Amino acid sequence: MVRRSQSFELQSHFCSDKSDKLHPAKEPDRHPPSLISRPRMDHGSAFRASVLLACVIICSNVLCPVGAYLYNNRYAGDQVFRITPSNDEEVRVLKKILGHMKVDFWQPNSAALICQNATVDVHVNRNDTRGLHVRLKQERIDYRVFISNLQKEIEKQTGYRSSRKRRSESQYDYEVYHSLEEIQSWMFEVNRTRSDLVDMFSVGKSYEGRPLYVLQIGKRSRHQKKAVWIDCGVHAREWIGPAFCQWFVKEAINSYPHDSVMRRLLNQLNFYIMPVFNVDGYHFSWTTDRFWRKTRSKNHKFHCRGVDANRNWKVKWCDEGASSHPCDDTYCGPFPESEPEVKAVAKFLRKHKKRVKAYISIHAYAQMLLYPYSYKYATIPNFNCVESAAHNAVTALYSAYGVRYRYGPASTTLYVSSGSSIDWAYRNGIPYAFAFELRDTGYFGFLLPESLINPTCTETMRAVKAIASGLLKKCETDRERFPYI
């Protein structure tokens, strides 16, 4: 019998028997920041022209890091709807309405997962917003617009900064979002300056040829230590993920001298940190499409690009919760591990599976802590140990700012999905496999402001430390049913 998920969060986007109201925590208001003044071109001086051209380049890469002045204003007038169908008929009608439109599902990530009394967050193109308003009112389906102009929200997420602290690790600003190039430069700097605790290596290359860098964090030891794997940025648009991975590295190495818990963890464990799993997609989300989710591999039969890197693992591949159509956001790929990013990480974890005792993947958004199974409604053999670890993690997280997380098996807490990394890790002998869905529950969605990086990462740090600390203790389980613990 499947045990129902424990709850540290009252509100949910997802299928449940109860209709919970949204009670967002106090967040900063949405008033847009003042824009920077741009320099005027002096046509009388070739020298000045070249200097000003350099200024423009600096502005586009430093003040406006997402590229050509925030995606060439492509999201102006786009809206994000929150729709709540209250019965099966409304679910059927809503699926039909959205099926005839080209929309970007935020939560859940496909129309097939829409169910009654569960909110649906969907990004709608400006040309379709009026029509959707009319249809929803005609059908009397409950909805509201929680982002009325998506372009303005994108501009507010990163804002316009006059400077970026990125020249050295000691000056690096962990409370802003960073481009792939900045993150990789930071990794090299941390590796250079903290060689006592850090070792940097690559597990392979992406589809577009970018290196897949990993940082190993831990005190060097002659004997083999247990290890924890943490990856971030599997889905490109979830920027808070890479921000957390960087935050974890910073906190681990800086607190090692004075934090007894962290010192014990780094002395007895190794942490493999992959700040950006989907490097091609993440880069694309900065330069071209802020809400890109998948990898960037090409499909020979369709113009659509990319595969969902969390549906491409060799475990119940391309079954329920995944799509076989290349244009869908949950496309499982042409075959398991078709994506070089997934294949490279899977190869590394298989090689080190005797030492890796915990796999943690950081996602957003929903405020949840999930564990196997994702692909079926069943209880894992070491349920008591994993459930206890999850409870301790969300309790530790709650202790920071009172933010509530739901936790439980992914299939019952979120939705059924096949080919996921946590199911693969568990199937391959890693006894503790978790996926975090970080802040928030939809007020900002994928556009979590930089002002919330610090609290989000601070509380998540407590949760991860709780999981890692649990690995140093024994947890009794049924070894006959789960012999590789």
Side-chain angles (χ1 to χ4, degrees), residues 250-270:
K250 180 258 297 185
E251 285 295 304
I253 60 181
N254 288 350
S255 65
Y256 179 81
H258 57 81
D259 182 338
S260 60
V261 174
M262 185 57 73
R263 186 162 58 251
R264 184 166 179 246
L265 290 176
L266 295 189
N267 285 344
Q268 298 189 36
L269 298 171
N270 280 329

Side-chain angles (χ1 to χ4, degrees), residues 291-310:
F291 302 105
W292 187 259
R293 170 184 167 95
K294 301 187 287 183
T295 62
R296 291 293 298 160
S297 56
K298 291 182 179 179
N299 186 287
H300 297 298
K301 295 181 180 179
F302 294 83
H303 291 298
C304 304
R305 293 185 66 161
V307 167
D308 185 338
N310 202 33

Side-chain angles (χ1 to χ4, degrees), residues 5-110:
S5 63
Q6 304 290 331
S7 177
F8 266 71
E9 169 58 66
L10 297 177
Q11 191 275 335
S12 172
H13 299 277
F14 308 103
C15 301
S16 74
D17 295 328
K18 298 180 181 179
S19 177
D20 297 320
K21 293 183 179 179
L22 177 65
H23 298 286
K26 186 176 181 181
E27 306 282 14
D29 62 37
R30 295 187 186 274
H31 295 299
S34 58
L35 302 181
I36 58 168
S37 59
R38 296 174 185 164
R40 294 181 179 178
M41 181 67 74
D42 182 354
H43 298 285
S45 170
F47 174 77
R48 278 189 174 183
S50 62
V51 169
L52 288 172
L53 178 59
C55 289
V56 171
I57 294 171
I58 292 171
C59 175
S60 65
N61 286 285
V62 179
L63 305 183
C64 317
V66 288
Y69 291 107
L70 300 179
Y71 311 97
N72 288 319
N73 213 34
R74 67 181 286 177
Y75 302 105
D78 287 12
Q79 296 183 339
V80 180
F81 286 65
R82 169 160 288 178
I83 310 166
T84 310
S86 60
N87 54 54
D88 289 339
E89 176 60 18
E90 289 188 358
V91 168
R92 185 191 67 78
V93 171
L94 182 58
K95 286 181 177 180
K96 184 178 180 180
I97 293 172
L98 298 180
H100 288 90
M101 302 172 62
K102 188 176 181 181
V103 296
D104 172 22
F105 282 94
W106 283 19
Q107 293 286 7
N109 49 42
S110 75

Side-chain angles (χ1 to χ4, degrees), residues 190-209:
V190 171
N191 183 56
R192 184 183 68 83
T193 58
R194 297 307 305 265
S195 58
D196 56 322
L197 291 173
V198 179
D199 185 32
M200 180 177 172
F201 59 92
S202 170
V203 294
K205 288 190 175 182
S206 70
Y207 178 83
E208 294 181 342

Side-chain angles (χ1 to χ4, degrees), residues 174-177 240 243-244 247 250-251 400-401 439 448-461:
Y174 293 89
E175 296 186 36
V176 301
Y177 294 111
I240 188 60
F244 171 72
W247 189 276
K250 180 258 297 185
E251 285 295 304
Y401 303 104
R439 293 196 197 187
L448 195 72
E450 291 180 327
S451 61
L452 295 180
I453 291 176
N454 186 319
T456 301
C457 292
T458 297
E459 66 196 12
T460 308
M461 189 76 190

